[in-house]
């Protein structure tokens, strides 16, 4: 991710370092926002808000926490606030998945359907479960990093992940049986 030298240079007022820093984290910020909020427009708005907040608050970052944890805490909090205010509902159908190899059309369709099912199931999780799932499985955060990011005890993180996996497993089994989608 980002080097500590780049972070320190950005904190010292180096504009080029700050721009490099923001460019380096923008896709991670967007991905987190997208999976928490569930639609492209809200994710773009939340990402922009998070990047602006990081830009304006970079001098307040302290090395007590990992930089990625600090960034994810900012974007997650913005998303949770936005989610609480708007309770978004957008169909997953408006988003297209891109696959590296489209030679086997049947496999591509099955992968696309599976990705839609997983995304739809994640969208149905309660917001606190959704946040831990996104951080753990999409951003590859450790339990400790999730606990730091969401300001939760580690056992709560483990409990949320356990319950979320159980809920996802049940929902995905329903999809496989041909259950109602969305």
């Amino acid at each position: 991710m980002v080097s500590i030298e780049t972070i320190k240079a950005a904190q010292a007022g180096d504009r080029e370092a700050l721009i490099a820093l923001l460019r380096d984290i923008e896709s991670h910020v967007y991905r987190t926002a997208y999976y928490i909020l569930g639609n492209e427009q809200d994710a773009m708005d939340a990402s922009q808000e998070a990047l602006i907040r990081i830009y304006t608050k970079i001098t307040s970052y302290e090395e007590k926490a990992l930089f990625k944890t600090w960034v994810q805490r900012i974007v997650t909090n913005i998303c949770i606030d936005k989610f609480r205010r708007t309770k978004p509902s957008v169909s997953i159908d408006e988003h297209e998945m891109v696959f590296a190899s489209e030679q086997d059309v049947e496999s591509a369709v099955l992968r696309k359907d599976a990705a839609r099912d997983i995304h739809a199931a994640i969208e149905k999780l309660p917001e606190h479960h959704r946040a831990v799932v996104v951080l753990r499985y999409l951003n590859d955060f450790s339990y400790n990093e999730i606990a730091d990011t969401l300001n939760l005890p580690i056992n709560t993180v483990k409990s949320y992940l356990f319950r979320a996996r159980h809920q996802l497993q049940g929902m995905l089994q329903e999809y496989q049986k041909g259950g109602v989608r969305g």
Side-chain angles (χ1 to χ4, degrees), residues 122-138:
I122 290 171
E123 283 184 343
K124 290 181 181 178
L125 291 173
E127 68 184 58
H128 53 281
H129 288 172
R130 186 181 320 155
V132 295
V133 165
V134 168
L135 292 174
R136 178 73 179 145
Y137 298 110
L138 300 174

Side-chain angles (χ1 to χ4, degrees), residues 135-169:
L135 292 174
R136 178 73 179 145
Y137 298 110
L138 300 174
N139 290 318
D140 201 30
F141 272 41
S142 69
Y143 292 142
N144 287 331
E145 291 170 331
I146 296 168
D148 288 345
T149 299
L150 299 177
N151 199 24
L152 295 171
I154 189 109
N155 286 334
T156 302
V157 170
K158 290 177 181 179
S159 174
Y160 284 179
L161 277 170
F162 176 81
R163 291 180 185 148
R165 281 191 302 261
H166 184 72
Q167 289 172 318
L168 287 170
Q169 183 180 20

Side-chain angles (χ1 to χ4, degrees), residues 84-98:
R84 286 180 182 150
R85 285 192 311 264
T86 60
K87 299 285 185 189
S89 62
V90 172
S91 170
I92 189 71
D93 294 333
E94 74 182 43
H95 307 289
E96 292 298 319
M97 296 295 204
V98 178

Side-chain angles (χ1 to χ4, degrees), residues 19-153:
I19 290 170
L21 180 86
L22 293 173
R23 284 195 177 131
D24 195 40
I25 64 172
E26 70 184 337
S27 64
H28 300 287
V29 168
Y30 174 79
R31 182 175 48 209
T32 298
Y34 180 77
Y35 277 96
I36 290 175
L37 296 171
N39 74 66
E40 188 175 349
Q41 189 60 49
D42 286 342
M44 289 173 65
D45 291 346
S47 297
Q48 182 176 12
E49 187 176 336
L51 291 170
I52 289 169
R53 189 164 302 162
I54 292 162
Y55 174 84
T56 59
K57 303 285 185 184
I58 189 68
T59 56
S60 69
Y61 168 70
E62 299 174 3
E63 291 182 49
K64 290 186 243 178
L66 292 174
F67 184 71
K68 74 176 187 174
T69 303
W70 183 75
V71 167
Q72 290 300 323
R73 181 180 299 139
I74 290 171
V75 70
T76 301
N77 288 340
I78 288 170
C79 290
I80 288 171
D81 289 346
K82 190 171 191 56
F83 184 78
R84 286 180 182 150
R85 285 192 311 264
T86 60
K87 299 285 185 189
S89 62
V90 172
S91 170
I92 189 71
D93 294 333
E94 74 182 43
H95 307 289
E96 292 298 319
M97 296 295 204
V98 178
F99 296 101
S101 172
E102 294 286 350
Q103 294 170 353
D104 183 358
V105 175
E106 185 177 349
S107 293
V109 168
L110 291 174
R111 283 192 309 268
K112 186 174 182 177
D113 285 345
R116 282 186 179 166
D117 289 350
I118 292 167
H119 190 98
I122 290 171
E123 283 184 343
K124 290 181 181 178
L125 291 173
E127 68 184 58
H128 53 281
H129 288 172
R130 186 181 320 155
V132 295
V133 165
V134 168
L135 292 174
R136 178 73 179 145
Y137 298 110
L138 300 174
N139 290 318
D140 201 30
F141 272 41
S142 69
Y143 292 142
N144 287 331
E145 291 170 331
I146 296 168
D148 288 345
T149 299
L150 299 177
N151 199 24
L152 295 171

